[in-house]
């Protein structure tokens, strides 16, 4: 599922408790400092969420580097809910 600069793939796996989340952040997003900042922000947001058990791959587009925390949270919530619901 995609929402703004985030795209999430989900694979159902009941044994993945807690849910496993990986991030794909290409160099186009920015320098290593910017990519790591985006990764840290996303990790913090994922910890706040109560995700369905499974495997998640979060792909990040360059536009994510310029988003504030509220916008990033909204996109992440939308994509993880849609992905785990199978939409």
């Amino acid at each position: 599922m995609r929402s703004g600069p985030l795209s999430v793939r989900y694979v159902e796996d009941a044994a993945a408790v807690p849910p496993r989340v990986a991030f794909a952040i290409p160099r186009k997003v920015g320098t290593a400092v910017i990519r790591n900042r985006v990764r840290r922000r996303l990790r913090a947001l994922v910890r706040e969420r109560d995700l369905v058990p499974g495997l998640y791959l979060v792909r990040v587009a360059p536009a994510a580097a310029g988003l504030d925390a509220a916008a990033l949270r909204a996109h992440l919530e939308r994509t993880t809910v849609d992905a785990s619901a199978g939409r």
Side-chain angles (χ1 to χ4, degrees):
M1 300 283 89
R2 183 174 185 93
S3 175
L6 300 181
S7 174
V8 175
R9 295 281 185 174
Y10 170 75
V11 175
E12 191 173 344
D13 184 4
V17 177
R20 298 182 66 187
V21 182
F23 301 97
I25 305 175
R27 288 184 182 167
K28 288 183 180 181
V29 172
T31 64
V33 172
I34 292 170
R35 292 192 310 270
N36 288 330
R37 181 179 303 134
V38 170
R39 184 177 294 113
R40 284 191 307 270
R41 291 171 71 196
L42 287 170
R43 274 192 201 141
L45 293 171
V46 165
R47 281 188 210 111
E48 294 174 1
R49 306 245 331 121
D50 186 27
L51 296 176
V52 175
L55 310 173
Y56 295 83
L57 173 62
V58 180
R59 294 181 183 175
V60 180
L67 292 179
D68 62 357
L72 200 56
R73 176 181 288 115
H75 289 301
L76 184 66
E77 287 178 1
R78 201 169 308 128
T79 56
T80 54
V81 168
D82 288 350
S84 61
R87 294 183 193 165

